[in-house]
Amino acid sequence: MDPRHNPFAPGAGTPPPELSGRTTLLTRADVALSRVRQCRPEKGMILVGLRGVGKTVLLNEIRRQAEHTNYQTCRIEAHEGKTLPALLVPQLRRVLLNLDRMASLSTQVKKSLGVLKSFMNGFKTKIGEVEVSLDIEAEAGAADSGDLETDLPELMAAVGRAAQARQASLALFIDEIQYFHASELSALIMAMHRVAQDRLPVILFAAGLPQVVALFGNSKSYAERLFDFPEIGALSIAETMDALEKPAQAENVSFAPPALAMIFEKSRGYPFFLQEWGYHSWNQAPASPITNADVAAASPVVMQSLDQGFFRVRFDRLTPREKRYLRAMAELGEGPYRSGEIAKQLGKKSSDLGTLRDVLIGKGMIYAPAHGDVAFTVPRFDEFMRRIMPKELL
Ligand SMILES: Nc1ncnc2c1ncn2[C@@H]1O[C@H](COP(=O)(O)OP(=O)(O)OP(=O)(O)O)[C@@H](O)[C@H]1O
Ligand SMILES: [Mg+2]
């Protein structure tokens, strides 16, 4: 069928043509936004899930909801090589300048801009690369100790007060939150604790890999009282069908029921995979309806596309030792895997592999679903490892 009308959207953070199966979560987010706007107590939300389940897309959707309801929003994506202050300062600066523009009387906002300025002074060395100029006097003694756990709560409270003075609210959106350093995560949790205590209209929405639950819990025992950790997972069969059928219908195209069942089976309901299968099945099909023969014909193309993109980009970031560790996992089947069993595959002691395992968790390749267990953060990565690396290389 005409690829120019293909509605499917495989990609990182690419909005799907039909955001299937997430209504309950979006309603929860909407309630939370509304309560925070009224300065009522509410937990932040940390979306937790494997690669490609639709976390980024959801964060972006919640952000749209927030912006529709008088929220100022900041969106950042954590990654190795940039600090939390360097990512946050330009965003908060933009928010404060927006608030400043909202009316002429802006003493509170001016004051908060001064706090931001002094925060920047405190972290001068660390955020030197960011070009952020503020034509305002720093608030001496506010958020300028240079200790992030002291300064970030003060800064967030100051921004919260500025928003409140403008009858506005602030929502922070942080993607890939597992990549922050422990000290940054701790400062962020303390900052959200502070704004909750001060009843300021500020809320955090974040997304990350399954390891974030443990990272939050280890950082601050009260984290579970400040945040919910909804699990974002694969879609059910009915949700998968919706995700495929509705966009096709909008183009006057249908799927034969066996084709839908086949895509569900092959994708296992994982959003990224079902977009890939939908996309390539559409292009393979000579006419509507799309049949299971079309899906079967598309499958080698999908696998090639996944192997060269989704899986490959992760594989290429690994050292030879890391690859061998992951290959040993894959040799054991689908997982989760006992650390001891992996060590046995490699002819090593479990205790010799602890550091390597931690590095792989830090890189976001694996996580520990239970003590002594590990699993891949990328669905079906075990099959890919078996395809790409012969067993002899173990
Ligand atoms: N609810 C959904 N229904 C249908 N397709 C979806 C849904 N959510 C996401 N997708 C599709 O899945 C793909 C992956 O989405 P997204 O990038 O948000 O995942 P992610 O969880 O952020 O992945 P990663 O951990 O790799 O960043 C995109 O192509 C998107 O269009
Ligand atoms: Mg993402």
Side-chain angles (χ1 to χ4, degrees):
M1 248 146 6
D2 192 341
R4 280 170 295 195
H5 298 155
N6 193 330
F8 296 106
T14 323
E18 171 70 24
L19 184 59
S20 186
R22 308 299 191 206
T23 317
T24 311
L25 188 113
L26 289 172
T27 307
R28 256 169 86 184
D30 206 34
V31 169
L33 285 168
S34 158
R35 289 179 56 85
V36 167
R37 217 169 32 239
Q38 303 164 60
C39 296
R40 293 183 195 275
E42 187 54 80
K43 288 177 171 181
M45 231 186 237
I46 318 296
L47 314 178
V48 174
L50 301 178
R51 290 283 173 210
V53 290
K55 303 179 296 297
T56 300
V57 154
L58 274 170
L59 270 191
N60 290 340
E61 185 55 36
I62 298 171
R63 186 178 178 201
R64 247 190 305 278
Q65 287 182 353
E67 283 176 348
H68 270 134
T69 52
N70 202 25
Y71 266 84
Q72 294 290 323
T73 66
C74 294
R75 185 191 188 290
I76 61 180
E77 182 180 322
H79 55 89
E80 297 119 335
K82 254 212 171 150
T83 65
L84 175 59
L87 290 164
L88 206 51
V89 163
Q91 294 282 320
L92 292 178
R93 171 180 179 271
R94 181 181 48 75
V95 164
L96 287 173
L97 293 177
N98 276 349
L99 290 170
D100 197 37
R101 252 179 252 122
M102 285 164 68
S104 55
L105 195 90
S106 58
T107 333
Q108 182 61 55
V109 181
K110 287 261 152 49
K111 217 170 158 161
S112 302
L113 276 164
V115 175
L116 179 66
K117 179 104 179 194
S118 57
F119 179 84
M120 287 165 61
N121 289 342
F123 291 91
K124 198 162 223 141
T125 48
K126 289 160 219 155
I127 54 171
E129 72 270 31
V130 187
E131 285 288 316
V132 186
S133 62
L134 273 181
D135 188 15
I136 200 152
E137 281 285 299
E139 271 291 298
D144 61 356
S145 73
D147 171 24
L148 194 59
E149 292 191 347
T150 309
D151 293 350
L152 193 62
E154 272 204 44
L155 174 62
M156 287 310 302
V159 180
R161 285 193 298 272
Q164 193 171 38
R166 283 278 177 264
Q167 277 91 46
S169 319
L170 172 68
L172 291 181
F173 293 87
I174 304 184
D175 206 356
E176 305 282 359
I177 196 163
Q178 74 279 351
Y179 288 136
F180 278 136
H181 287 290
S183 61
E184 295 178 330
L185 193 61
S186 161
L188 184 67
I189 297 170
M190 289 169 80
M192 297 318 293
H193 193 200
R194 170 73 185 275
V195 294
Q197 282 172 339
D198 291 0
R199 290 277 186 103
L200 292 168
V202 180
I203 185 166
L204 171 69
F205 292 94
L209 295 171
Q211 44 267 55
V212 301
V213 182
L215 291 176
F216 272 74
N218 295 342
S219 178
K220 292 279 169 292
S221 58
Y222 57 75
E224 71 187 62
R225 275 165 281 152
L226 283 179
F227 307 103
D228 280 329
F229 295 86
E231 259 181 57
I232 312 300
L235 303 180
S236 69
I237 184 155
E239 292 160 353
T240 302
M241 287 182 169
D242 264 0
L244 294 162
E245 274 189 307
K246 288 189 177 166
Q249 260 160 23
E251 300 288 336
N252 293 318
V253 168
S254 63
F255 280 89
L260 291 173
M262 194 166 180
I263 296 187
F264 178 68
E265 189 202 313
K266 289 187 177 290
S267 66
R268 299 188 195 161
Y270 280 107
F272 183 77
F273 295 160
L274 78 84
Q275 292 297 330
E276 282 273 7
W277 257 285
Y279 182 82
H280 291 289
S281 302
W282 174 289
N283 288 352
Q284 284 291 326
S288 177
I290 300 171
T291 65
N292 55 345
D294 300 326
V295 177
S299 289
V301 188
V302 172
M303 292 317 291
Q304 198 185 16
S305 157
L306 291 174
D307 279 5
Q308 288 172 358
F310 189 66
F311 295 128
R312 185 85 212 190
V313 291
R314 266 111 205 173
F315 184 78
D316 286 346
R317 293 177 57 230
L318 302 166
T319 66
R321 275 186 81 215
E322 293 165 358
K323 285 177 185 165
R324 274 202 303 282
Y325 187 92
L326 299 185
R327 181 63 181 84
M329 284 169 65
E331 193 53 29
L332 295 164
E334 209 180 310
Y337 316 90
R338 302 291 305 166
S339 294
E341 292 291 311
I342 303 166
K344 210 151 80 188
Q345 281 288 328
L346 291 163
K348 296 239 161 78
K349 278 192 293 193
S350 220
S351 50
D352 295 339
L353 293 167
T355 314
L356 184 56
R357 176 178 159 276
D358 290 347
V359 169
L360 283 165
I361 293 178
K363 276 192 173 181
M365 287 305 303
I366 59 175
Y367 70 104
H371 187 70
D373 281 355
V374 288
F376 287 110
T377 58
V378 183
R380 301 184 71 169
F381 206 73
D382 58 314
E383 295 164 36
F384 169 74
M385 286 306 294
R386 290 193 293 271
R387 275 199 299 280
I388 192 108
M389 245 177 108
K391 191 179 175 202
E392 298 71 60
L393 287 183
L394 245 182

